[in-house]
Amino acid sequence: MNMRIKPAVLLLLTGLLPALPALAADTEALYQKHCAVCHGSERLGAMGPALLPENLGRLRKGEAGKVIADGRPATQMPAFASQLSAAEIEALQAYIYAPPAVSPRWDLAAIEASRIEHADVRKLPHKPSFAADPMNLFIVVESGDHHVSILDGDKLEPIHRFASRFALHGGPKFSPDGRFVYFASRDGWVTKYDIWNLTPVAEVRAGINTRNAAVSSDGKYVAIANYLPHSLVILDSDLKPVRILPVADKDGKKTSRVSAVYDAAPRKSFVAALKDVKEVWEISYDPKQPDIPVGMIHDFQYKEGAFIPGFLNPQRTSVDDYLDDFFFTQDYNDLMGASREAGRGQVINLDARRQVAELRLPGMPHLGSGITWAWQGRTVMATPNLNEGVVSVIDTATWENVRSIPTLGPGFFMRSHENSRYAWTDSMMSREHRDTLQVIDKEKLEVVAQLRPMPGKTLAHVEFTRDGRYVLASLWERKAAGGALIVYDAQTLQEVKRIPMDKPVGKYNLHNKITRSEGTSH
Ligand code: DHE
């Protein structure tokens, strides 16, 4: 029998409780001996990911112990089972899930010190080095072995593949001309990649635990939303820090994680949702906005009078509930927000700077994945739902829920295209139906087809080609287990081809993203 006794219980049993600090010291020494070289002496990450509770949220505790014991395939994480006892592995596991004694800092100096310049952009040719249409490329994020593939959207063939930072999350963001793509990793690394020259340009670590990145529509700034530390970082397009905004309420008393930041192109601003303070921030990058006082570039203060909304300084809008996930209307003047707990949503007008309507939505709508289309003379927005099998369709003029379309199970993503009569959604949050994509007729507002190419294997996240002719869906498996992009004809819904990939979490069409197609996420 494999009986595992927790070290603290062992101590109690043997009457050694006073020796607890010694055990902590031993575990710290174990960590420094075996883990620090790859994960950093302060657990902030190095070659390996950060090992802090915030960064480990997606890994169950037992699994972390298993990774320490058995290593992680396709990475440099070795197995420690032959060097460490079960009790030592368990102690290490507890250690990495405990917050450090001193809260980690990630300030301007740390950000600047982390920056790596891979290439001098000025010396690289300002034209694509390949024949494929540079606007019909797909950027495919493969989480199986942490790589990115670039796919020719006409030939539907990969043209290049490169290693990414560990655990990219969220959609990559593009410069307006489509030459550069920016990736953010959960550990705070931001990578700027030159698509035309197929080479990384620069990298910087903007936070310890990051949510996502946004690129300004003029291509000059990159905004990074962080959970740890509580900051919003503005970088220039070379990934040099321009402004670090500590995120707190207007009195500077309560700090907050940033749920997400997006570019609101027509408003020339970034808009950020805060997770722990009931405010939405709008940060203008319009050069016509008043500049901030001299001396505040990196030292943003909350003193009376010093808080001047303007160029790269936040404008606060108080809201009735915390915002987690949100969606912009196509003109970017209204945002539809949901708090994960509330089960209700709110519409906030960014000009009026207040809530203008309440949304009555079941379950947990995943508004960030919403899409819009014209329906019976009005514009509707459709959103999947993270804990109910329903797609809610909302009129963006009256904010009424015009239809609740039942689906097989809770889903994560939605996609369509201006040239397609269909919208696609998944049920990937459901155990039995995560293998099925459902196709909704945008006129009838009902499910008209189901696709289940590999029973039992997760099928989710689709994206259309530039012309809307094909749909690429992710078969979310390791390559050896059949992981692939499945290409469907967008009209006949027939499978056209399969492109092997290593757990392709997401794929993004350059043209659809840059033109802010109504059928894709922004
Ligand atoms: Fe995501 C986008 C939040 C878990 C895959 N996810 C986003 C965005 C946010 C978000 C705010 C929009 C960022 C952007 O594109 O700029 N995601 C969250 C969560 O809060 C949640 C539920 C919990 C968490 O761990 O953070 C979560 N997300 C996941 C996953 O478990 C997924 C399925 C696998 C993974 O890689 O982590 C996942 N999220 C994605 C993908 C996108 C995304 C593929 C980009 C969607 C797009 O098409 O634009």
Side-chain angles (χ1 to χ4, degrees), residues 117-406:
E117 196 159 306
H118 293 287
D120 183 349
V121 172
R122 286 161 306 177
K123 295 193 180 139
L124 295 171
H126 189 68
K127 58 178 174 37
S129 59
F130 43 80
D133 173 2
M135 273 295 169
N136 194 22
L137 298 173
F138 283 85
I139 303 295
V140 189
V141 174
E142 295 176 73
S143 71
D145 59 352
H146 307 281
H147 272 66
V148 170
S149 284
I150 300 181
L151 200 79
D152 176 339
D154 293 307
K155 291 193 177 146
L156 296 167
E157 281 169 8
I159 58 172
H160 189 61
R161 191 169 192 267
F162 58 94
S164 73
R165 285 278 165 184
F166 181 81
L168 299 183
H169 176 235
K173 302 293 156 64
F174 299 93
S175 61
D177 59 3
R179 174 171 170 185
F180 300 105
V181 55
Y182 296 83
F183 302 96
S185 83
R186 287 194 184 261
D187 277 355
W189 279 99
V190 183
T191 304
K192 175 179 180 176
Y193 188 87
D194 183 340
I195 300 173
W196 293 355
N197 291 291
L198 302 175
T199 182
V201 174
E203 288 183 287
V204 76
R205 191 171 186 191
I208 298 171
N209 188 247
T210 288
R211 296 300 289 162
N212 77 327
V215 173
S216 62
S217 55
D218 59 8
K220 288 186 179 159
Y221 302 101
V222 184
I224 310 297
N226 284 330
Y227 263 10
L228 190 68
H230 292 180
S231 66
L232 190 80
V233 175
I234 314 278
L235 308 166
D236 69 13
S237 61
D238 291 328
L239 302 188
K240 292 183 180 147
V242 176
R243 189 84 42 105
I244 298 166
L245 302 171
V247 179
D249 62 3
K250 62 179 176 347
D251 304 319
K253 288 196 177 125
K254 187 173 183 214
T255 66
S256 176
R257 294 167 289 174
V258 185
S259 304
V261 62
Y262 296 101
D263 174 52
R267 303 177 63 85
K268 295 199 177 71
S269 64
F270 293 118
V271 176
L274 310 190
K275 205 169 171 83
D276 312 303
V277 165
K278 290 181 185 168
E279 288 179 11
V280 173
W281 283 17
E282 181 166 21
I283 301 124
S284 174
Y285 54 78
D286 183 349
K288 289 193 198 121
Q289 289 288 325
D291 207 347
I292 54 154
V294 177
M296 286 180 61
I297 298 288
H298 296 302
D299 185 21
F300 187 81
Q301 299 288 322
Y302 288 92
K303 286 181 195 135
E304 196 79 48
F307 191 87
I308 303 171
F311 182 66
L312 298 188
N313 260 6
Q315 169 86 266
R316 297 160 189 271
T317 294
S318 296
V319 289
D320 290 351
D321 199 356
Y322 300 101
L323 271 189
D324 201 345
D325 191 16
F326 70 89
F327 176 83
F328 283 114
T329 48
Q330 279 294 96
D331 62 8
Y332 284 77
N333 289 333
D334 293 300
L335 67 85
M336 302 160 74
S339 149
R340 292 272 154 90
E341 284 96 64
R344 274 205 300 210
Q346 47 189 327
V347 181
I348 294 144
N349 183 279
L350 288 171
D351 289 325
R353 295 186 38 228
R354 62 180 175 81
Q355 178 174 326
V356 289
E358 201 172 84
L359 293 170
R360 299 206 166 266
L361 296 170
M364 247 185 234
H366 194 213
L367 296 173
S369 291
I371 56 171
T372 58
W373 66 83
W375 180 74
Q376 300 188 352
R378 29 188 168 164
T379 302
V380 289
M381 179 268 189
T383 171
N385 202 296
L386 292 170
N387 66 7
E388 284 194 26
V390 65
V391 163
S392 303
V393 183
I394 300 147
D395 182 329
T396 61
T398 62
W399 308 113
E400 275 164 28
N401 190 4
V402 295
R403 193 74 55 91
S404 296
I405 306 172

